[in-house]
Amino acid sequence: MAQIPARKCGFCNKEVGDLFCEDCHRILCVKCRQDVHDKVPFLQDHKVTNIQKEGNRVFRPQPVCETHKNQFLYYCSKCECLTCAECMTSNHNEHKTEKIKTVADTCRQTVIQYIEKIKTKVEVAKKKLETIDTEHSAQIKSDCESYVSKVTITSGELHEIIDRFKQIHMTTASDFKEIENQDLHNKGAFFKRRHDEIADRLLKFENLLQETNDCIFLTQWKALQTDVQITDEEIEDPLGCPRKLGLFNQSNFTRSVIEEIDETFQMRLKEKEQTVFRLTQGMDALKDELKEKQQQIDNQSKETVDNAKKITTQFENKIQYLEAELKTATKEKYESQRVMKNIKKRLDEVMEQNDREQEENSMKTKHHTKTKKGIRHRKE
């Protein structure tokens, strides 16, 4: 933050003012605020700001009423605008007003909510940017690399097919050249030998013709009769032309390459179809096995249900038997209780009769004793 130039206190005009009263529009030092400003009751609610924290914003001019050029004092709820004292007696007379601070605090809460909402949007936008820089870029790169890789592989395979047919034809040309050169070399050696023999024979005849002595001439001529016979009988060996290498058939070459490419890629398609067929068969086998297992489970479940029903029936029979026995026992209990009740009743009757008899006997005994006493008294 930029340094704020030091300003003197507006009260004592001595100390450096670090505070600013937005309501008094005066600079305060800490001491004057404590000793002077805050001691006045109606000044205690003023808003005092720290200049070093807020900076030059504290010296910004406060907005005033454009109509009356007075300081705003209230907020008109009906018109939703700031008003001064004169506004309240003219255009905004009898309108509902609120404290500016109350409305500002409410608006600040709204601003806080919008800040949170905007922060959320900023985070969303940031995540989208991160997604663009990471996932989407990586996806584009991966897709392009995969595409280029497939193009390279396919091109390489096509080049391999073309190179294979090229090598076949190049080998054909190379073999033809080697064979024909060897044949040409053999012909050259043969005709070189024939040339030397004929040239030697020619030299003999030329030397003979230069002989002037007739005897020597005839003797040498006779010696050359074998050469004469060979010359007469010799058959000229024809020099055949070398074989021609057939013209390169571009159409056949192209057709062969295309057929090979088609077969290669069709084979891949067939392999995929065979793979799909094998997987389908495997899936069908698994389905059959699953169906068989399910049937076994159903059979076991049926057996379990039958066993459960059987056990349930047995328990129900036992319960019915126990209920019957309980009913019989209850009936016997009631019968026993009735018998016991009758016996008790009979016993009570007997006891009651016995008590009456004892009471009668007691009364008779008392009466007899009393009679005896009377008789004894009369005798005396």
Side-chain angles (χ1 to χ4, degrees), residues 197-243:
E197 291 176 355
I198 295 171
D200 183 62
R201 195 183 309 149
L202 175 62
L203 182 61
K204 289 179 181 180
F205 280 99
E206 287 178 347
N207 291 332
L208 175 62
L209 188 60
Q210 291 178 2
E211 182 60 48
T212 58
N213 189 308
D214 294 336
C215 292
I216 296 173
F217 175 81
L218 291 174
T219 302
Q220 291 181 353
W221 168 250
K222 188 176 182 179
L224 291 175
Q225 290 303 309
T226 302
D227 292 329
V228 172
Q229 184 179 0
I230 291 174
T231 302
D232 292 337
E233 295 177 356
E234 189 176 40
I235 300 173
E236 188 67 27
D237 292 323
L239 177 61
C241 294
R243 292 185 304 126

Side-chain angles (χ1 to χ4, degrees), residues 18 23 57 63 66 93 97 100 128 159 180 198-199 216 255-256 264 279 305 315 331 365 372:
D18 294 329
D23 297 296
R57 289 183 297 176
E66 295 181 358
N93 188 22
T97 60
I100 295 177
K128 289 181 179 179
H159 281 297
E180 291 302 313
I198 295 171
I216 296 173
R255 188 182 302 109
S256 299
T264 300
L279 292 175
V305 171
F315 274 108
K331 185 176 180 181
T365 301
K372 282 184 177 183

Side-chain angles (χ1 to χ4, degrees), residues 2-14:
Q3 293 292 328
I4 307 300
R7 304 190 186 194
K8 291 186 178 181
C9 175
F11 283 85
C12 65
N13 203 23
K14 294 180 181 179

Side-chain angles (χ1 to χ4, degrees), residues 172-186 243:
T172 300
S174 176
D175 292 344
F176 176 83
K177 181 180 179 181
E178 184 178 355
I179 293 171
E180 291 302 313
N181 283 335
Q182 184 64 37
D183 183 63
L184 194 63
H185 175 73
N186 294 335
R243 292 185 304 126

Side-chain angles (χ1 to χ4, degrees), residues 189-202:
F190 173 76
F191 282 104
K192 178 70 169 58
R193 189 169 58 253
R194 290 293 301 275
H195 172 271
D196 293 342
E197 291 176 355
I198 295 171
D200 183 62
R201 195 183 309 149
L202 175 62

